[in-house]
Amino acid sequence: MIVIEKKAWRDTLRWLIPLVLIPAVVALGALVFPQKRHLLVSLGVAGLSLLLFLCGFERRLTGSRRLVLAAVLIALCVTGRMLPLIKPVTAIIILAGMYLGCETGFLVGSMAAILSNFTFGQGPWTAFQMLAWGMIGLVAGWLHAPLKKSRLFLMIYGGLCGVLYSLVMDVWTVLWYDGGFRWSLYLSAMTAALPHTLLYCASNLVFLWFLAKPVGRKLERVRRKYGV
């Protein structure tokens, strides 16, 4: 009975954390908390991301192995963000979700944002980046079967992720500029960000095209070998 109750709580948190709690923390951080507290908001999102990750496995050994793989992918994302113009960050996050599970995908996305921003600069925007990249990894985990089966579907998803990331960050732009949300200003922000959005989409397509098979084969082999 206790085991069943723990599993039920874990399954509930796997949905509640990414779809309710983390978006709520990001929204409160933007609308209620002063901007000087932005690091506390980002750390709150990081803590919830780790809790979500812990909800994704039942055996301690399996979780530790998956955490090591997640740490490697996070390091690759942070390093890849140093590249000029096109960056492999989103592609790596997608592959993490596809091959290591939705919880790992969210963790890689959110931690890649906060850790890389120690170089690029922390701010109220960090929590939005954590949410955007985390959701990209989460959904990739949910859609892992069709994404692995069809390269066309993978390319479409990669392109949509470039749009999704830009749309989430445009929300932050409007809140920062206006102190509230207005659709007219949001549409203006979307239009102004269009060149960057297209660049996000192009970089996702390029890196997914070249990385999906070789990196996917290695992650799949490790996952099967070590029971991750």
Side-chain angles (χ1 to χ4, degrees):
M1 179 66 68
I2 295 176
V3 174
I4 294 175
E5 290 180 355
K6 286 184 176 179
K7 187 177 186 302
W9 269 106
R10 189 164 52 241
D11 291 341
T12 301
L13 288 174
R14 290 172 70 181
W15 289 93
L16 186 66
I17 291 173
L19 299 181
V20 178
L21 296 182
I22 290 180
V25 170
V26 174
L28 288 173
L31 298 174
V32 178
F33 299 153
Q35 292 192 6
K36 292 182 178 180
R37 302 290 179 89
H38 61 81
L39 189 56
L40 291 177
V41 176
S42 299
L43 291 175
V45 176
L48 288 171
S49 299
L50 288 169
L51 179 59
L52 174 65
F53 177 79
L54 293 175
C55 293
F57 62 86
E58 299 180 4
R59 292 178 298 169
R60 183 177 300 177
L61 182 59
T62 300
S64 62
R65 290 170 176 172
R66 191 184 301 177
L67 183 59
V68 171
L69 289 175
V72 172
L73 293 175
I74 292 168
L76 290 174
C77 288
V78 173
T79 304
R81 207 175 167 200
M82 308 296 177
L83 296 176
L85 297 179
I86 60 174
K87 306 174 189 293
V89 179
T90 301
I92 295 172
I93 293 168
I94 292 173
L95 295 174
M98 286 171 56
Y99 290 96
L100 300 178
C102 52
E103 298 87 7
T104 305
F106 196 102
L107 180 69
V108 171
S110 62
M111 297 307 293
I114 189 172
L115 292 178
S116 62
N117 277 0
F118 281 104
T119 298
F120 289 94
Q122 299 286 350
W125 56 85
T126 300
F128 283 83
Q129 291 175 316
M130 296 174 73
L131 175 62
W133 272 330
M135 289 302 299
I136 287 171
L138 184 81
V139 175
W142 288 342
L143 301 177
H144 66 94
L147 289 174
K148 292 178 183 178
K149 184 177 181 180
S150 172
R151 174 170 280 198
L152 175 60
F153 186 66
L154 178 61
M155 293 296 106
I156 293 174
Y157 181 70
L160 290 176
C161 286
V163 176
L164 171 65
Y165 179 83
S166 183
L167 292 177
V168 173
M169 296 311 298
D170 287 339
V171 172
W172 151 247
T173 301
V174 173
L175 294 177
W176 166 77
Y177 182 83
D178 194 52
F181 187 84
R182 287 190 292 131
W183 280 105
S184 59
L185 191 57
Y186 184 63
L187 293 175
S188 299
M190 289 171 53
T191 303
L194 185 59
H196 298 284
T197 303
L198 294 176
L199 186 60
Y200 294 153
C201 295
S203 63
N204 294 348
L205 295 178
V206 169
F207 283 107
L208 282 174
W209 181 266
F210 288 105
L211 295 179
K213 285 189 175 181
V215 174
R217 282 196 297 265
K218 292 183 182 299
L219 290 175
E220 185 68 23
R221 184 164 61 248
V222 170
R223 187 182 67 84
R224 292 182 177 182
K225 181 178 180 179
Y226 295 104
V228 176

